[in-house]
Amino acid sequence: MLSNSANGIYWMARYMERASYMCRLLHIQSEALVDRPVSEIQFGWRRIYTAINRNPLGGVQAVGPLDDYNLVDAYLLTDELTFVRDNPESILSCLERGRENARQIRHCVSDQMWTALNTEFLRIRDVKLTDIWLASPSSFYEELLAAIDRFSGVATATMYRDEGWHFFRVGQFIERVQFGCSLLLTQKMIENQSGELAEASWRSLLKIFHASGAYDRTYSIEIQPDLVLDLLVTDRRIPESLLRSVDRTTQELSSLGDGPDAATSGALRRLAGRLGALLRYDWPDRDDRDEVLRQVLRYSRQLDSLLSKTYFNYAFQGVPRSDI
Amino acid sequence: MEFQKYEIEPSFYDEMFHRDGSPRQHCVELHATLSDLTELDLSTMQERVTRSFYDEGITFIVYGDEAAGERIIPIDCVPRVLANAEWRHIETGLDQRLRALNLFLQDVYNEARIIADGVIPTDVIRDCPQYRIEMRGLSALHGAWVAVCGTDLVRTNDGFRVLEDNLRVPSGVSYMIATRKAVKANLRGVYRRSNVLDVEHYGKLLLSTLRDLAPPGVTDPTIALLTPGVYNSAFYEHMFLARELDAELVEGRDLIVNDGYVYMRTTSGLRRVDVIYRRVDDDFIDPLVFRPDSYLGVPGLLHAYRLGNVTLANAPGTGVADDKSVYAYVPDIIRYYLSEEPILANVDTYLCRQPEGLEYTLDNLEDLVVKEVGGSGGYGMLIGPHSTAQERQDYAKQIQANPKNYISQPVLDLSRAPCLIDDQFEPRHVDLRPFVLRGNETRIVPGGLCRIALKRGSLVVNSSQGGGAKDIWVLPD
């Protein structure tokens, strides 16, 4: 497959996955705005901004005190995170970039995938926050999330299982590892700083990972942060747990053939293996879990970079004579 | 919905109606169906067709008007019908014309007999910016310099005429197919009853053509389609065709020339490319030979081509044969190479490079269409009857400053066809762009893209200037 096409598929998948996380975060936030205490709402904003490593409007520092979020308007923040194109992490930006990538590699994906993505983008492209704010922002996010899920489902149902499929899946899983890990780190960081055990915030974190029911069934309805962390990091039954996402990444990478340089290809697979080992064998015994999560994030970024070096942007070292 | 309010103007050939208002024989079935549909049926149908283009992303961006964002080409859901005999006439004429033009290209880049024999003046070729000196001494496999051609035809009361030969990177074929798919889905019954000839196998014919052109010794060629990229207005078409061909869609940055061969960068390493269907203009295709500031091309590509290690379709330099000055000589070109009379007529053309042509043009600006010889897309031309005195005066100065750059033609009474405008049938001027393929034989799908001048009375059919498109139904014998 053409390197550029593989790269396009990979990034299309990543942007769509990112849009999904943003949608889930904003869905929870839009519900919190209705009846949750101000501190919880502030925590929600800070979690989002810290996770995407961006400072919100109004000169507030993402990692500053929670009280700072009193200074800014929920309307403006929602708009910035949903519709503002200048914010590369807004849902619309993610969808737009996902679609731009999809447009370039349309011939490599199914018609149904393109149509699912294109129609949803066209549906929300001209929507303004004023159109949804007074009615029901949470319904908007629910519908949007359903459309993004539909895109993913359509891909699973229709995409040809060639290399493109494996790059699509790698993109999804690496984004899950990176975004998921950022969220967990943020949660720990904010919690450590504020020194509060914000049960509601851990509960909402479970919801973001689609793991609330699983937690209740596995443990109890009582929230214990360490158990939540364990579940979200290592329970492979949770579709978006870090370990599952890493294992699936490894699996997809092994389905891909070697890139032109065997050494880089080997390094890529070893790194994925090391990441899995970190979560599987180190995590249970380590007390410095923040550090492990930071290590996971570093490894996952290296994984992205090595993937690019292996398949997309490898150095041109001449052509073997046998090929001529 | 009835056609009572539809105006038939005798000075224009109407594609559906005789002058007395009765439908032409090959249009009877469609006419009856359309007459039975309600206004609501038709507007719903039009909406569905338009919606399908948006949903599938069959869009383009107009250069210089990027802020307006993506547009679709307006599609009219009323097809234009051609009788089989009409089509056979066109098909034979196009085949003849393309054979002659390919022979001309082979000659003009080699012995140049046609110049030596005085059929075409030397300066017409010498002054043509599309003549590529770098192609001198080269030959195209099977003589197919032009593998893909999109000829623009118009019909007047006197019959069909060729308006332009588009021999460089003609586009529009994806619209032809997309329009067919959308229109037939909405007019299923009459489409089936009419046994309309298929156009959707164009991709297969293109693939066969490109395979014909593989370098000698390559039995299973790797084909790639070279696009300027996603911001090109025809990108949808490039993607569409890459898919039809099952070829990789590559940009210049994906290709590398090494040791005289072309490779593309794939996930498993470099892979040799044998045939490139290029949709990048000559100027941009190889910065080492043509424009050095081009980022769209591939350094060394022409070197690989000259060595015969890769085929470029169309070959560089084909623009010399669709230059508007050379166009005037195409009937002579046909007679010279084929010893046949042209089947399809040209439009009368006055070359401003010739004193009598210049004088006639300047004296009759009000009645003529004046075009730049290297122009395309409907840009840079003056339509005399629709211009102001000031515009004519300004244009006359431009012509006098550089007469070689201009030709003029009479304003043609382009035929009209019924179109659905504001839920009513109204006549609009149309043209026809069939797509002709040439490998080791001529291949052509029955039909083409019918372009419409959507503004009432307008003769400009270009999509970049408010033109639309409709399906063409060629009926069987």
Side-chain angles (χ1 to χ4, degrees), chain B residues 405-450:
Chain B
N405 195 37
Y406 296 92
I407 56 115
S408 65
Q409 294 170 331
V411 178
L412 296 174
D413 297 329
L414 261 60
S415 65
R416 305 198 304 186
C419 298
L420 195 64
I421 309 282
D422 298 332
D423 299 335
Q424 297 295 322
F425 292 122
E426 287 188 22
R428 289 291 183 270
H429 293 291
V430 291
D431 81 351
L432 161 62
R433 178 179 286 183
F435 295 90
V436 192
L437 301 169
R438 181 79 204 179
N440 55 16
E441 60 177 323
T442 301
R443 299 177 176 96
I444 176 165
V445 292
L449 185 69
C450 175

Side-chain angles (χ1 to χ4, degrees), chain A residues 1-6 99-100 103-111 114-115 118-119 122 125 163 167 258-260 310-316 318-321 323-324, chain B residues 51 53-59 61 70 230-232 235-236 239-240 242-243 247-251 253-254 256-259 261 263-272:
Chain A
M1 161 174 261
L2 200 68
S3 295
N4 220 13
S5 303
R99 178 176 177 264
E100 270 310 290
R103 229 157 77 80
Q104 296 184 44
I105 45 92
R106 258 187 81 173
H107 58 298
C108 304
V109 299
S110 66
D111 282 339
W114 163 258
T115 306
N118 189 44
T119 47
L122 295 178
R125 180 182 57 180
E163 264 186 294
F167 281 110
D258 274 352
T310 306
Y311 297 109
F312 311 146
N313 293 312
Y314 51 83
F316 167 57
V319 183
R321 298 299 303 177
D323 199 27
I324 302 174
Chain B
R51 187 76 257 160
F53 268 60
Y54 273 114
D55 287 350
E56 290 190 31
I58 309 175
T59 54
I61 297 167
E70 293 173 30
V230 72
Y231 299 108
N232 184 271
F235 181 78
Y236 167 78
M239 182 284 303
F240 172 86
R243 194 173 193 166
E248 291 294 354
L249 181 61
V250 298
E251 294 179 37
R253 60 188 168 151
D254 298 316
I256 291 166
V257 177
N258 189 54
D259 275 2
Y261 288 84
Y263 296 87
M264 59 184 172
R265 189 188 282 272
T266 76
T267 52
S268 54
L270 299 183
R271 182 172 161 203
R272 210 170 108 184

Side-chain angles (χ1 to χ4, degrees), chain A residues 4-278:
Chain A
N4 220 13
S5 303
N7 193 29
I9 294 177
Y10 171 75
W11 279 104
M12 172 185 70
R14 286 198 64 166
Y15 284 126
M16 292 307 287
E17 203 62 24
R18 199 172 298 176
S20 169
Y21 275 108
M22 290 300 286
C23 210
R24 281 179 257 169
L25 284 161
L26 285 162
H27 178 236
I28 282 170
Q29 195 64 359
S30 67
E31 288 187 329
L33 285 170
V34 178
D35 59 359
R36 304 305 300 167
V38 173
S39 59
E40 197 178 316
I41 294 169
Q42 289 163 336
F43 179 90
W45 289 127
R46 200 162 120 188
R47 178 165 63 191
I48 299 175
Y49 277 99
T50 312
I52 63 173
N53 194 23
R54 182 181 172 86
N55 286 328
L57 294 166
V60 176
Q61 295 295 306
V63 290
L66 283 177
D67 285 351
D68 282 358
Y69 285 89
N70 280 331
L71 301 173
V72 287
D73 185 340
Y75 182 92
L76 288 178
L77 294 181
T78 306
D79 194 31
E80 197 201 14
L81 293 167
T82 309
F83 295 116
V84 171
R85 282 190 160 100
D86 289 344
N87 171 13
E89 309 294 336
S90 76
I91 295 175
L92 187 61
S93 289
C94 290
L95 284 180
E96 190 162 33
R97 290 199 279 174
R99 178 176 177 264
E100 270 310 290
N101 277 284
R103 229 157 77 80
Q104 296 184 44
I105 45 92
R106 258 187 81 173
H107 58 298
C108 304
V109 299
S110 66
D111 282 339
Q112 294 86 344
M113 278 173 79
W114 163 258
T115 306
L117 173 47
N118 189 44
T119 47
E120 190 54 19
F121 173 75
L122 295 178
R123 186 180 75 85
I124 73 154
R125 180 182 57 180
D126 299 322
V127 174
K128 302 274 178 292
L129 188 58
T130 43
D131 302 331
I132 61 166
W133 189 252
L134 289 178
S136 173
S138 75
S139 314
F140 170 78
Y141 293 115
E142 266 168 33
E143 282 170 33
L144 187 52
L145 194 54
I148 296 170
D149 287 345
R150 200 155 47 239
F151 167 77
S152 186
V154 163
T156 307
T158 61
M159 202 170 162
Y160 184 49
R161 280 355 186 217
D162 62 355
E163 264 186 294
W165 167 253
H166 298 303
F167 281 110
F168 179 78
R169 298 293 275 173
V170 170
Q172 282 187 316
F173 295 129
I174 287 188
E175 185 63 29
R176 281 181 197 173
V177 176
Q178 285 193 11
F179 208 111
C181 193
S182 296
L183 271 176
L184 296 180
L185 259 173
T186 300
Q187 183 84 14
K188 293 275 291 169
M189 187 165 71
I190 300 176
E191 190 199 69
N192 290 344
Q193 280 184 1
S194 65
E196 291 174 16
L197 175 68
E199 178 168 333
S201 75
W202 285 99
R203 174 59 70 183
S204 63
L205 190 69
L206 282 167
K207 284 185 188 164
I208 292 163
F209 279 79
H210 300 308
S212 195
Y215 179 86
D216 295 345
R217 262 175 271 152
T218 310
Y219 302 107
S220 73
I221 56 166
E222 206 172 296
I223 291 289
Q224 292 187 47
D226 279 347
L227 294 180
V228 174
L229 261 184
D230 270 339
L231 190 87
L232 298 182
V233 172
T234 58
D235 192 332
R236 294 188 75 262
R237 294 168 299 179
I238 306 287
E240 297 187 16
S241 75
L242 296 190
L243 183 56
R244 182 179 170 82
S245 299
V246 168
D247 281 352
R248 294 305 303 271
T249 304
T250 311
Q251 200 177 321
E252 296 299 339
L253 287 176
S254 66
S255 301
L256 287 168
D258 274 352
D261 177 29
T264 325
S265 306
L268 176 69
R269 296 205 174 86
R270 281 196 302 280
L271 181 63
R274 205 175 306 144
L275 187 49
L278 182 66

Side-chain angles (χ1 to χ4, degrees), chain B residues 41 50 92-93 102 115 143 147 154 158 193 197 279 305 307 469 474:
Chain B
D41 291 336
T50 304
T92 321
N102 269 319
I115 298 172
V154 294
D158 300 331
R193 284 194 302 280
L197 299 183
R279 298 294 296 257
Y305 177 77
L307 292 173
V474 177

Side-chain angles (χ1 to χ4, degrees), chain B residues 346-410:
Chain B
N346 256 24
V347 178
D348 296 337
T349 303
Y350 308 98
L351 301 178
C352 297
R353 63 169 50 250
Q354 296 170 344
E356 60 275 23
L358 176 63
E359 191 185 339
Y360 181 83
T361 302
L362 293 174
D363 288 350
N364 296 281
L365 268 185
E366 201 168 342
D367 302 319
L368 296 170
V369 178
V370 192
K371 299 174 178 174
E372 293 177 345
V373 291
S376 64
Y379 293 104
M381 66 180 190
L382 177 85
I383 301 178
H386 296 175
S387 63
T388 62
Q390 185 63 46
E391 283 168 343
R392 286 194 294 278
Q393 202 179 334
D394 294 345
Y395 209 89
K397 282 183 193 157
Q398 289 180 39
I399 297 172
Q400 281 162 326
N402 186 12
K404 287 177 184 171
N405 195 37
Y406 296 92
I407 56 115
S408 65
Q409 294 170 331

Side-chain angles (χ1 to χ4, degrees), chain A residues 284-309:
Chain A
D285 300 329
R286 297 265 293 262
D287 293 330
D288 56 341
R289 293 189 152 187
D290 294 31
E291 184 46 39
V292 179
L293 287 174
R294 272 191 283 277
Q295 183 73 16
V296 170
L297 200 54
R298 273 198 299 276
Y299 277 177
S300 67
R301 286 177 182 151
Q302 284 170 17
L303 208 56
D304 168 80
S305 162
L306 259 179
L307 187 80
S308 177
K309 270 189 202 152

